[in-house]
C-alpha cells in the first residue's frame, strides 16, 4: 500500500497529536484527513510552518494542564453526602454510580466532566466514606472524597414535628377510568 506523509493540524485519536508528522495510506489522507482540514501534506513551506504549530500545541497543552490542576484543587476541597435507601438488614437498594458523581460535580462545583474519567470499578452500594479517583488529564488525577449514608439514618435524625406536618390526611382517591355499570343484555329476536 502506498503511504503519504502528512502534518496533523489537530488531535486525531489513534493517529497523533497536533503538529505530528505521520505516514498514512493515501486513501485515508485523500478522503478523510485532507477534506476535513485535519492535516496537510508535507512540503518545504509546510515544514517551516511546523514550528508555529508546535508552539500552538505547547500553549494549548500548558493551558489544559493548568485548568486540570485548578479543577483538581476544587474537587479535592469538596465533600458530598449521598443518601441511599436501605432495607432492614442494611443492604442498599440503589447505588452511587459514576453518572451520579458527574451530576453532583456539575451542580456543586460547576465542572462538566466525562463519566468515563471517573475511576470506579463497581457502583458503590455500601455506606461509609469513599474515595474515588478522577483522571482529569494524563498528568493530573483528582481525589474525590464523599460520604454515603442510609436514608433511614436521615429520617431518624429529622425532628418529629417535621414528620407530622408532612403527613397529609387521607383523601378519597378518584379513579381515572370509571367502571361502566352493567346493563342487561337485550335478547335478539
Amino acid at each position: 500500500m502506498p503511504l503519504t506523509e502528512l502534518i496533523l493540524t489537530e488531535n486525531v485519536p489513534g493517529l497523533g497529536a497536533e503538529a505530528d508528522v505521520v505516514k498514512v495510506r493515501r486513501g485515508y489522507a485523500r478522503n478523510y484527513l485532507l477534506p476535513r482540514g485535519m492535516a496537510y501534506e508535507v512540503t518545504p513551506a509546510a515544514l517551516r510552518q511546523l514550528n508555529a504549530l508546535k508552539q500552538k500545541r505547547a500553549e494549548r497543552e500548558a493551558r489544559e494542564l493548568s485548568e486540570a490542576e485548578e479543577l483538581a484543587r476544587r474537587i479535592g476541597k469538596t465533600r458530598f453526602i449521598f443518601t441511599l435507601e436501605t432495607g432492614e438488614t442494611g443492604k442498599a437498594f440503589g447505588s452511587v454510580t459514576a453518572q451520579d458523581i458527574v451530576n453532583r460535580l456539575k451542580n456543586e462545583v460547576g465542572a462538566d466532566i466525562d463519566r468515563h474519567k471517573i475511576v470506579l470499578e463497581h457502583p458503590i452500594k455500601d455506606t461509609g466514606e469513599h474515595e474515588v479517583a478522577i483522571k482529569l488529564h494524563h498528568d493530573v488525577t483528582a481525589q474525590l472524597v464523599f460520604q454515603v449514608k442510609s436514608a433511614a439514618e436521615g429520617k431518624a435524625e429529622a425532628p418529629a414535628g417535621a414528620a407530622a406536618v408532612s403527613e397529609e390526611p387521607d383523601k378519597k382517591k378518584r379513579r381515572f377510568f370509571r367502571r361502566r355499570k352493567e346493563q342487561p343484555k337485550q335478547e335478539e329476536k
Side-chain angles (χ1 to χ4, degrees):
M1 287 280 160
L3 298 175
T4 184
E5 276 191 317
L6 298 174
I7 299 173
L8 297 176
T9 58
E10 59 186 67
N11 291 341
V12 179
L15 187 59
E18 186 178 350
D20 285 347
V21 178
V22 295
K23 287 187 178 184
V24 295
R25 293 187 176 155
R26 286 185 185 165
Y28 181 53
R30 181 179 61 242
N31 297 324
Y32 184 74
L33 295 174
L34 293 174
R36 287 176 173 76
M38 299 172 114
Y40 54 88
E41 294 184 29
V42 174
T43 60
L47 288 175
R48 286 191 293 270
Q49 292 177 348
L50 188 63
N51 289 334
L53 273 176
K54 286 184 180 180
Q55 178 68 24
K56 180 180 166 187
R57 175 182 174 183
E59 290 172 0
R60 179 184 49 81
E61 287 179 350
R63 185 180 67 248
E64 288 175 355
L65 181 64
S66 65
E67 288 173 358
E69 288 173 345
E70 174 61 30
L71 184 58
R73 278 193 291 276
R74 288 193 334 216
I75 288 174
K77 292 178 184 176
T78 60
R79 297 288 183 257
F80 298 139
I81 297 176
F82 289 96
T83 56
L84 293 176
E85 291 290 330
T86 56
E88 295 174 4
T89 60
K91 183 178 178 184
F93 292 131
S95 62
V96 177
T97 61
Q99 188 63 46
D100 295 332
I101 296 171
V102 166
N103 292 340
R104 196 71 175 267
L105 281 172
K106 189 173 186 177
N107 292 339
E108 304 281 331
V109 180
D112 196 13
I113 298 173
D114 183 25
R115 69 179 173 92
H116 298 290
K117 291 184 178 185
I118 296 176
V119 181
L120 189 65
E121 289 88 31
H122 303 289
I124 298 170
K125 293 189 172 199
D126 53 334
T127 58
E129 187 171 292
H130 298 278
E131 187 170 334
V132 174
I134 303 173
K135 295 191 76 68
L136 299 172
H137 191 266
H138 58 79
D139 292 337
V140 179
T141 302
Q143 297 295 326
L144 176 66
V145 178
F146 59 91
Q147 196 81 14
V148 178
K149 292 187 177 181
S150 171
E153 292 175 14
K155 290 178 184 175
E157 295 172 5
V165 172
S166 66
E167 294 178 12
E168 296 180 11
D170 292 333
K171 294 182 179 178
K172 185 176 180 182
K173 295 183 181 179
R174 292 185 153 189
R175 292 189 180 186
F176 188 72
F177 295 105
R178 294 185 181 178
R179 289 189 182 181
R180 291 185 180 173
K181 295 181 181 178
E182 290 187 28
Q183 297 177 359
K185 294 184 181 179
Q186 297 179 359
E187 295 180 21
E188 293 182 22
K189 295 183 182 176

